[in-house]
Amino acid sequence: MDNRFATAFVIACVLSLISTIYMAASIGTDFWYEYRSPVQENSSDLNKSIWTDFASDEADEKTYNDALFRFNGTMGLWRRCITIPQNTYWYSPPERTESFDVVTKCMSFTLNEQFMEKFVDPGNHNSGIDLLRTYLWRCQFLLPFVSLGLMCFGAVIGFCACICRSLYPTIATGILHLLAGLCTLGSVSCYVAGIELLHQKLELPENVSGEFGWSFCLACVSAPLQFMASALFIWAAHTNRKEYTLMKAYRVA
């Protein structure tokens, strides 16, 4: 094997490993989107009601989003979290000289919730099904796992290529990484579109802001790494095969 191809293969493997780690981390963490809001220091009846509804298994889209808006919520592909005071009072503390303790409460999305229909008016089951948001949500949940699976399958093929001491099978690895990159890019795009459509229907309250978190950024970085690894795998395999064919023809001649 030519040193050029071996070097390209090693670099592609490193890029593939980094992108796999980034993708797995983004799937497993809860910071795809973050809300910033004034901290609620007391536990009024309204706040208690919101906390209870948020933790309920029957919380609908509007219910848990209202809690995310009010309590510095974060959302991932699997879980939603809010930050609430650890020591709550029925009244506002008369004086606060230092920051009070807060605790993060998280609830997981069940598989049923992941595939549940989204409604035109969030929380209103009589408003009709919003097919666009429904399928955007399902795609943003499924595509990262498809991407991760494709990269792992590509890694198996690459390992077999190393055992066989041949670069040609890595063309399949490159194609799988290309498909994985497209899936990651599709997931990120679906997530952005879904968030924008949600905020058109549920406007953020005053003094509340939202931004994409570091889990989302990891997925965004993972996509170009997958594309670069794909290009290197395909180039190394194709060029090595081409030079091998020319050398074989030269020997025959």
Side-chain angles (χ1 to χ4, degrees), residues 29-42:
T29 49
D30 310 319
F31 298 92
W32 278 66
Y33 202 84
E34 305 177 32
Y35 293 99
R36 295 286 180 267
S37 58
V39 178
Q40 305 289 330
E41 300 183 24
N42 60 5

Side-chain angles (χ1 to χ4, degrees), residues 87-99:
N87 299 315
T88 56
Y89 305 88
W90 63 271
Y91 62 92
S92 296
E95 182 179 359
R96 189 185 72 179
T97 58
E98 58 182 9
S99 60

Side-chain angles (χ1 to χ4, degrees), residues 11-24:
I11 294 175
C13 289
V14 172
L15 292 175
S16 175
L17 178 62
I18 295 174
S19 65
T20 302
I21 294 173
Y22 282 3
M23 199 65 218

Side-chain angles (χ1 to χ4, degrees), residues 89-231:
Y89 305 88
W90 63 271
Y91 62 92
S92 296
E95 182 179 359
R96 189 185 72 179
T97 58
E98 58 182 9
S99 60
F100 55 92
D101 295 330
V102 293
V103 61
T104 300
K105 298 291 185 181
C106 296
M107 287 293 295
S108 297
F109 291 107
T110 64
L111 282 177
N112 185 44
E113 287 177 318
Q114 296 285 11
F115 293 97
M116 186 179 295
E117 294 86 359
K118 304 297 180 183
F119 298 98
V120 174
D121 182 12
N124 183 1
H125 294 197
N126 297 321
S127 61
I129 297 174
D130 190 331
L131 291 178
L132 178 58
R133 290 201 309 117
T134 297
Y135 285 104
L136 284 174
W137 182 279
R138 293 175 182 177
C139 287
Q140 77 183 27
F141 166 69
L142 291 174
L143 288 179
F145 291 99
V146 175
S147 174
L148 202 57
L150 289 172
M151 285 191 292
C152 291
F153 187 49
V156 172
I157 295 177
F159 180 73
C160 294
C162 291
I163 294 177
C164 298
R165 296 184 179 180
S166 172
L167 277 177
Y168 192 65
T170 56
I171 287 182
T173 301
I175 293 174
L176 289 174
H177 276 71
L178 176 62
L179 295 176
L182 292 174
C183 288
T184 302
L185 193 60
S187 175
V188 168
S189 301
C190 288
Y191 195 85
V192 172
I195 287 291
E196 292 300 323
L197 290 174
L198 174 65
H199 290 166
Q200 289 178 11
K201 298 178 181 296
L202 294 177
E203 294 185 2
L204 295 179
E206 188 178 357
N207 297 326
V208 175
S209 62
E211 61 183 11
F212 292 101
W214 58 266
S215 299
F216 175 83
C217 294
L218 287 179
C220 291
V221 173
S222 180
L225 292 178
Q226 291 165 343
F227 289 135
M228 287 188 288
S230 171

